[in-house]
Amino acid sequence: MERSQHRRLSRIITGALAVGALALTGCAAGDKESNDAAALDAPFAAQTQKAAGPVASVTWMLGAEPTTMDADIDATTADDTVLANICDRLMQVQPDLTLGQGIASDAKWADDTHVVFTIRQDAVFHDGTPVTTADVLWSMKRHAAEGAAESDEYANVVSMKQTADDQITVTTTQPDAIFLQAMAGDGGIVWNPRVIKAEGSDFGGPGSDSACSGPYQITSWQPGAQLTIEKVADYWNSGVTARADKVIFHWGEESATVNNLTTGSAQGAYLENAGAAVALEGSSTVSVYQGPSTNAWVLETTDRGVLTDARLRQALSLALNREGIAKAAFGGLAQPWKTPVGSGAWGYEVDAFQQAYDKLSGAPAKPYDADLAKAKKLVEEAGAPSEPLVVASNGSSTHNVIANALVAAAKSIGLEAEIKVVPQAQYGDFYSDAELRGQADLWPDEYYISKNDPLGFYKNGKSDASVNFGVFNDPKYDALVAKGYAATDDAERAKITIELQQEWVDQAVWIPVVATPSTLIMSNDVTGVPSSAAYIYYPWAADLGSAKG
Amino acid sequence: MSHAIRKLGGMLLTLVVASFVIFAAMFAAPGDPVTFLIGNPENMTPERIASVRAQYHLDEPMLVQYWHWATGALTGDFGQSFHYHQPVADILATRVPITLSLVGYAAVLLAVFGIGLGVLAAVRRGRAADTLVVGGTTLAASVPSFVVGIALVALFAVQVRWFPVSGAGSGFGGRLYSLTLPAVTLAVGALAIVSRVTRQSMIEQFSSEHVEAARATGLAERFIVRDHVLRGSWGPIITMVALVIASMIAGTVAVETVFGISGVGSLLVDAINTHDFPVVQAVLLFMVVAYMIVTTIVDLLLPVLDPRIGRKAVTA
């Protein structure tokens, strides 16, 4: 499943606070000129420089307190950031977001509906018991159980059976090319059934025993204060040398995170809001890194009124000033983007996706005269609507900037548009409440997928997808999605997905705004971790080490 | 005795009414808890929404839901947090001590400096010191606490690095050290009202007959201030300090957020925004109870400090 949406809220609530804090600390530090053109030097790569040596203890900041370590109940970004180091999964996302092996040493589609996992027999849980094929099967069944947070990943699964000592065969109703990707996420975690049974309903909370086999384990979790993970003495996978002995997690608002790094009381953090890193500009002790993620801000569309006409959506997309949004709302740390999903989704056939992306038009970084002329012509053809467009905002600065940019874009091509403010606590209901959707034509939001395959996003254009709100309905597209899911060959699937991407962007189903890369801030004393969004599932702490030997 | 019973009954009634009002308010607030409970927009199918509603009793009428909650609460079971998936009691148990120590620290600062400044202003009434105290505290009170907090962090934590940037610290010393800036932030805003009440009630005492009489006996001014003026002023001062402390318990939200402290204030904001009903309910009830306890203590304390109050109560 996708990472939980909870995190978005705390960011929004205190957005104003954080901005104020940043402005103030920036001024106080005296190293920040109020200069719009100042660009922060944030290298874009999947990984930071390899560590030169081990490190005894590192303090890491999270955006919020972890909630539970039972990913079958729920997993927030903070939970996943910790859990990534604690638990092994069937498959493993690599720092460059491609798919590697985990507890399964091999995974192959035998035919369209059978996938066979070969289970390593040398893995060991933290309690010293071996990871058996039966344990893996038990874990998969727990993930698939009705009501479990990850059960949607198993939606197409009809049966899971142990078919040899080291083999599990999963039977699906239909081809599901993304299933292997899902096994690198929380739906692929391998649990120790004995621990989970013994802990009962306490499992996952502070003080409960570890049910995992990863390179680290939680040694203390003081709710409201801190959580500590330590390297396990002899990690079963001798190919992994964990460099950090201990990572202590603290949590706080982004302003507190930035301040803690500035003063040296913490050494790193993955930010949920890239813009917060702007305050570190010019710092000599802390650096900012960015890397691929699937996150992108989009303007989601509803069938409330005129936007069911593709021409008006296309016109708005042509007229939107994405560069201005990236600068005003994200301090330049977001990229104007032509598709509704970030480059982190390209987990395979990266070149093919990159080339296809480069060729896309219809979502310029900045509207040039030719774009505006084209947009105006589209509006003319469609006929101007009788009532103004309504774009929703929840009042956070990012939402406001994007909503205002949309209004400006509409005006520039002769359309009327107005902003409707919806309380923050209600904003997420756009996804669940058709009545609320009936009050706005568009609403900006940050969207992301947890599997590094763009197909996992473009399936949302299917006419029966739960986030297709009625503006797009094309049987040919639906058929193409099905074909994509059947394509277990990467090259073939990439080709189909690129066709879907082309269609989605041509139709401007949702209007793409900016991609928000994964943003890492880290003390210059340490290095090694991925700067991509891999930190959600990949044991990043094992790569964390000293910058000097 | 009957007075105590009546008092206790009143408190219980207040609690019940408060808990119901809070519940009703949460129920009426915009936003659907289901959105947060499901999280992933791609999973928000009508079937899933219905099953989650049923699982959390959200499909039942408000009164039934309240009954579920109230019967649990009576047996000490405040339910499970929707967000943390832990018992609400466990969550509160780690947060309440942090908020209480923050408020306690701020209360000490407030009492010492607020009353101190008030005494200074009263003794030097009409002079430069008086103007400075009144003007300075008013200015401080007019700045929102999160702005004060951000400024203090920028100056004392980021610039000169005397104090930690965030967190509540551990151990008595560590906690005291870590909570200094937040406690100062909390106290600064309330200095004005306490010092003003102190000043005003002392000035009234200065011109009262028993002070004139004491002065006529030739007592040194400092004894007059201590034994006659201040003594007679304790009533309003203590009442005001207590009210300020009681409101602080519910007002730590901004300060906890700025200083990254996991107390009940920041817990409440997060819980409201994620529609975490059981946590909101428990936190607000904690605040109501804390308020009642503080005001009750003052009620009991005042007659001891100022015997006139007890007598009035009897004759009234």
Side-chain angles (χ1 to χ4, degrees):
Chain A
M1 91 164 213
E2 248 175 75
R3 274 132 52 199
S4 163
Q5 310 280 314
H6 292 145
R7 64 182 184 113
R8 189 174 300 149
L9 283 147
S10 61
R11 177 201 312 166
I12 293 163
I13 308 158
T14 46
L17 274 183
V19 169
L22 291 171
L24 240 152
T25 48
C27 294
D31 55 10
K32 188 187 165 217
E33 306 278 308
S34 54
N35 180 358
D36 291 332
L40 185 75
D41 178 32
F44 188 92
Q47 252 171 310
T48 54
Q49 203 185 352
K50 223 168 164 249
V55 62
S57 173
V58 176
T59 301
W60 203 265
M61 296 296 294
L62 298 171
E65 173 158 11
T67 61
T68 172
M69 290 298 139
D70 185 349
D72 287 325
I73 295 179
D74 189 17
T76 63
T77 302
D79 298 343
D80 275 334
T81 309
V82 175
L83 213 51
N85 301 297
I86 308 301
C87 298
D88 287 317
R89 297 135 203 269
L90 273 164
M91 309 297 286
Q92 189 184 66
V93 171
Q94 302 303 302
D96 63 1
L97 301 175
T98 57
L99 191 64
Q101 264 91 48
I103 293 286
S105 58
D106 192 30
K108 277 212 172 70
W109 284 91
D111 56 48
D112 271 359
T113 55
H114 291 89
V115 59
V116 179
F117 293 94
T118 309
I119 308 300
R120 296 183 69 133
Q121 298 297 305
D122 56 347
V124 180
F125 285 117
H126 291 150
D127 69 355
T129 59
V131 177
T132 67
T133 309
D135 294 341
V136 177
L137 187 62
W138 186 89
S139 307
M140 293 172 84
K141 287 187 169 158
R142 188 172 193 261
H143 298 309
E146 200 189 321
E150 299 294 324
S151 56
D152 55 313
E153 306 291 12
Y154 291 82
N156 296 326
V157 172
V158 277
S159 78
M160 295 183 275
K161 285 198 179 81
Q162 183 168 348
T163 41
D165 282 352
D166 64 346
Q167 214 177 62
I168 291 173
T169 302
V170 176
T171 309
T172 59
T173 50
Q174 61 192 71
D176 187 354
I178 292 187
F179 186 68
L180 292 186
Q181 290 271 1
M183 293 303 105
D186 286 340
I189 290 177
V190 175
W191 298 122
N192 183 337
R194 295 162 292 281
V195 171
I196 293 186
K197 283 173 189 159
E199 290 284 347
S201 64
D202 289 337
F203 176 66
S208 92
D209 277 341
S210 168
C212 285
S213 59
Y216 287 82
Q217 66 176 327
I218 296 173
T219 49
S220 99
W221 179 359
Q222 299 160 256
Q226 64 179 56
L227 185 153
T228 307
I229 61 173
E230 284 180 53
K231 187 159 95 173
V232 296
D234 358 68
Y235 180 47
W236 62 268
N237 188 345
S238 50
V240 174
T241 322
R243 290 175 176 277
D245 287 340
K246 183 159 94 173
V247 180
I248 303 162
F249 292 98
H250 290 264
W251 41 86
E253 294 305 323
E254 263 145 1
S255 59
T257 296
V258 168
N259 285 337
N260 271 306
L261 266 94
T262 306
T263 59
S265 33
Q267 282 75 51
Y270 289 103
L271 294 181
E272 285 164 15
N273 175 16
V278 173
L280 289 166
E281 199 189 311
S283 166
S284 57
T285 52
V286 185
S287 300
V288 182
Y289 307 86
Q290 289 200 304
S293 81
T294 68
N295 297 42
W297 280 82
V298 287
L299 281 151
E300 300 182 30
T301 52
T302 75
D303 60 355
R304 167 183 180 269
V306 291
L307 287 191
T308 46
D309 188 328
R311 287 170 295 192
L312 289 178
R313 300 196 302 267
Q314 291 157 351
L316 287 171
S317 182
L318 281 167
L320 191 65
N321 184 350
R322 296 174 172 82
E323 215 169 87
I325 294 171
K327 216 174 260 175
F330 302 93
L333 288 170
Q335 306 158 338
W337 203 246
K338 294 191 266 189
T339 71
V341 60
S343 66
W346 306 339
Y348 57 99
E349 300 291 315
V350 180
D351 293 340
F353 282 115
Q354 180 70 57
Q355 280 166 20
Y357 177 85
D358 292 340
K359 281 190 210 130
L360 285 173
S361 61
K366 213 159 115 180
Y368 288 97
D369 292 342
D371 299 314
L372 288 176
K374 201 170 156 197
K376 281 180 190 155
K377 202 160 153 261
L378 285 164
V379 173
E380 215 172 283
E381 282 170 27
S386 54
E387 56 174 47
L389 287 171
V390 179
V391 53
S393 168
N394 65 8
S396 88
S397 58
T398 306
H399 286 82
N400 278 346
V401 167
I402 297 174
N404 279 310
L406 193 275
V407 171
K411 292 230 164 94
S412 71
I413 53 173
L415 291 172
E416 281 300 308
E418 56 191 40
I419 296 175
K420 177 187 168 63
V421 177
V422 171
Q424 281 161 4
Q426 195 182 4
Y427 199 71
D429 295 358
F430 271 112
Y431 290 105
S432 59
D433 185 353
E435 209 170 299
L436 185 62
R437 283 199 296 276
Q439 298 172 29
D441 296 297
L442 303 108
W443 84 90
D445 205 0
E446 187 178 18
Y447 208 87
Y448 45 87
I449 53 173
S450 59
K451 293 168 292 264
N452 304 107
D453 191 330
L455 182 59
F457 178 83
Y458 291 109
K459 72 161 195 289
N460 293 328
K462 264 172 49 175
S463 41
D464 62 349
S466 60
V467 290
N468 181 350
F469 305 118
V471 300
F472 181 65
N473 187 341
D474 181 357
K476 266 190 285 180
Y477 187 97
D478 295 359
L480 204 54
V481 170
K483 214 173 132 197
Y485 270 83
T488 48
D489 175 64
D490 282 352
E492 191 197 343
R493 191 165 73 258
K495 204 172 140 265
I496 295 167
T497 305
I498 286 166
E499 275 180 61
L500 290 168
Q501 167 176 289
Q502 185 74 46
E503 182 64 8
W504 180 295
V505 174
D506 282 350
Q507 294 291 321
V509 181
W510 290 353
I511 298 171
V513 182
V514 293
T516 38
S518 161
T519 304
L520 163 72
I521 56 176
M522 194 164 63
S523 154
N524 294 340
D525 297 337
V526 291
T527 185
V529 299
S531 41
S532 71
Y535 69 89
I536 295 293
Y537 300 133
Y538 169 84
W540 52 270
D543 293 346
L544 178 60
S546 151
K548 293 180 206 79
Chain B
M1 193 59 195
S2 69
H3 175 70
I5 290 171
R6 221 179 310 136
K7 180 117 193 148
L8 210 62
M11 284 170 80
L12 280 177
L13 187 69
T14 312
L15 264 184
V16 171
V17 172
S19 78
F20 185 76
V21 169
I22 294 163
F23 201 90
M26 277 301 289
F27 202 81
D32 189 343
V34 169
T35 308
F36 295 93
L37 289 168
I38 298 179
N40 180 356
E42 290 168 26
N43 285 349
M44 285 182 201
T45 56
E47 304 82 58
R48 183 74 186 265
I49 290 175
S51 92
V52 169
R53 262 190 220 293
Q55 187 191 343
Y56 289 88
H57 301 293
L58 295 169
D59 52 350
E60 291 170 32
M62 191 205 112
L63 283 177
V64 178
Q65 289 189 42
Y66 178 71
W67 182 248
H68 274 301
W69 178 85
T71 45
L74 275 181
T75 58
D77 174 13
F78 287 90
Q80 285 255 336
S81 159
F82 291 178
H83 179 54
Y84 288 96
H85 310 285
Q86 294 163 23
V88 171
D90 290 1
I91 295 175
L92 278 189
T94 63
R95 263 97 172 161
V96 165
I98 292 173
T99 296
L100 287 184
S101 45
L102 172 60
V103 171
Y105 194 169
V108 171
L109 294 178
L110 177 75
V112 171
F113 291 99
I115 298 173
L117 288 173
V119 171
L120 179 70
V123 173
R124 302 278 169 114
R125 58 196 173 280
R127 287 196 255 166
D130 181 20
T131 318
L132 205 66
V133 167
V134 172
T137 54
T138 308
L139 183 71
S142 64
V143 184
S145 63
F146 73 88
V147 174
V148 175
I150 289 167
L152 290 181
V153 169
L155 194 60
F156 293 105
V158 177
Q159 275 298 298
V160 297
R161 307 195 180 177
W162 288 348
F163 293 98
V165 170
S166 66
S170 54
F172 181 76
R175 170 105 0 138
L176 207 63
Y177 174 55
S178 298
L179 289 184
T180 299
L181 289 184
V184 168
T185 308
L186 210 50
V188 157
L191 277 183
I193 188 152
V194 172
S195 61
R196 199 73 54 79
V197 165
T198 307
R199 176 180 176 275
Q200 202 53 42
S201 68
M202 279 178 70
I203 286 174
E204 277 165 30
Q205 293 289 325
F206 268 121
S207 52
S208 68
E209 282 172 19
H210 71 274
V211 173
E212 294 290 341
R215 201 167 270 145
T217 63
L219 262 178
E221 187 67 15
R222 64 173 192 279
F223 293 118
I224 293 177
V225 169
R226 193 187 70 191
D227 297 335
H228 297 274
V229 178
L230 199 51
R231 180 120 199 262
S233 314
W234 276 131
I237 296 174
I238 298 284
T239 309
M240 188 44 74
V241 169
L243 283 177
V244 169
I245 293 172
S247 63
M248 265 183 189
I249 293 173
T252 56
V253 178
V255 172
E256 285 182 11
T257 306
V258 170
F259 289 94
I261 296 167
S262 299
V264 290
S266 49
L267 180 68
L268 177 66
V269 174
D270 285 346
I272 289 176
N273 279 290
T274 52
H275 301 280
D276 195 345
F277 282 147
V279 170
V280 172
Q281 191 80 359
V283 169
L284 287 174
L285 276 188
F286 158 75
M287 288 174 172
V288 172
V289 170
Y291 196 93
M292 291 195 304
I293 290 176
V294 173
T295 47
T296 308
I297 290 176
V298 175
D299 277 355
L300 298 174
L301 202 63
L302 278 183
V304 179
L305 278 171
D306 189 344
R308 289 172 302 175
I309 295 172
R311 276 204 298 280
K312 266 183 228 148
V314 172
T315 50

